[in-house]
Amino acid sequence: MSEFAGRTAVVTGAGSGIGLAVATELAARGAAVAALDLDPSGTPADVLGLRCDVTDEESVSAAVEEVVQRLGGVDVLVNNAGIGAQGTVETNAYDEWNKVFDVNVLGIVRTTRACLPHLRRSSAAAIVNTCSIAATAGLPNRALYSASKGAVLSLTMAMAADHVTEGIRVNCVNPGTVDTPWVRRLLEAADDPEAELRALQARQPSGRLVSAAEVAGAVTYLAGPAAGATTGTALAVDGGMQGLRLRKS
Ligand code: NAD
């Protein structure tokens, strides 16, 4: 598959999980891909791994400049770096609120600002943000994380409106629970990891976790030529969790 031949993609948080799967898929489909991560050591051989902290504007600017110098431009930006938080509106410290918004929301702002001059020069510019089911469904004990992803959903729509006339499409994906190192860490921390896994699987009507490759497929679709008329949308990749109401009998 070479639908991304001649195009360059920047993927943040591509050292692990969903971002790693996205970078791998875009490279397999012909893109020149840069993986920006706090720890890019897991980057595949055909992907340019760059250390980058999306909370640090200088770090982001330097990484994007290096991508442009080495790969020639930016056609696709996947804003995927994110961190989680558990708690109710009462329990997370204000420092944690600031930290999670700094990564999950302002990280998108910094990376997009750095990439926009280059995206404007592309004839096939697309941005895809990794949002979450937490933006559209009320999940218990996820107040801070959900608020940050709600901001990502609204930011996606506003960015789509701002940049549509420049030829830059902006969309997001809303994954359900995805089997990534992040979720495996949560399971390991649970009192009964097996029971926790069964509960997470049962929460999705499909009865299983989403795979990182399935999210990567949706991101790649939104980033690519088949979605040329699609902007300002959120694509759920959640085993039916948002939209379906099943009954047992
Ligand atoms: P992960 O922890 O496996 O990977 C996240 C990557 O982001 C890591 O490599 C980490 O080093 C990187 N990162 C974190 N902070 C960073 C920073 N400041 N600068 C640069 N890189 C940074 O997690 P994942 O499950 O693959 O999650 C990726 C994205 O998907 C996140 O935005 C998350 O909110 C979203 N998401 C995940 C799930 C899920 O169930 N796993 C569901 C919905 C949405």
Side-chain angles (χ1 to χ4, degrees), residues 16 18 37 52-54 80 130-131 145 149 176 178 180 182 185:
S16 170
I18 292 169
D37 202 293
C52 172
D53 180 353
V54 299
N80 168 78
T130 304
C131 189
Y145 179 69
K149 290 298 182 177
V178 188
T180 67
W182 167 330
R185 287 193 296 272

Side-chain angles (χ1 to χ4, degrees), residues 52 56-66 110 114:
C52 172
D56 177 345
E57 189 175 15
E58 281 183 20
S59 167
V60 170
S61 301
V64 171
E65 281 315 308
E66 187 167 350
R110 292 185 190 95

Side-chain angles (χ1 to χ4, degrees), residues 116-201:
L116 268 174
H118 309 290
L119 289 165
R120 288 192 178 106
R121 284 196 279 275
S122 168
S123 58
I127 299 173
V128 184
N129 298 328
T130 304
C131 189
S132 171
I133 179 79
T136 55
L139 305 179
N141 211 36
R142 293 290 185 279
L144 164 53
Y145 179 69
S146 300
S148 77
K149 290 298 182 177
V152 172
L153 181 61
S154 300
L155 180 60
T156 300
M157 301 308 158
M159 284 167 52
D162 283 337
H163 303 295
V164 64
T165 56
E166 299 181 312
I168 303 170
R169 298 183 300 102
V170 186
N171 294 285
C172 67
V173 290
N174 287 358
T177 306
V178 188
D179 194 351
T180 67
W182 167 330
V183 167
R184 289 288 156 185
R185 287 193 296 272
L186 282 177
L187 289 174
E188 279 165 22
D191 292 338
D192 183 345
E194 286 296 321
E196 183 66 12
L197 176 60
R198 281 194 299 276
L200 290 175
Q201 288 168 331

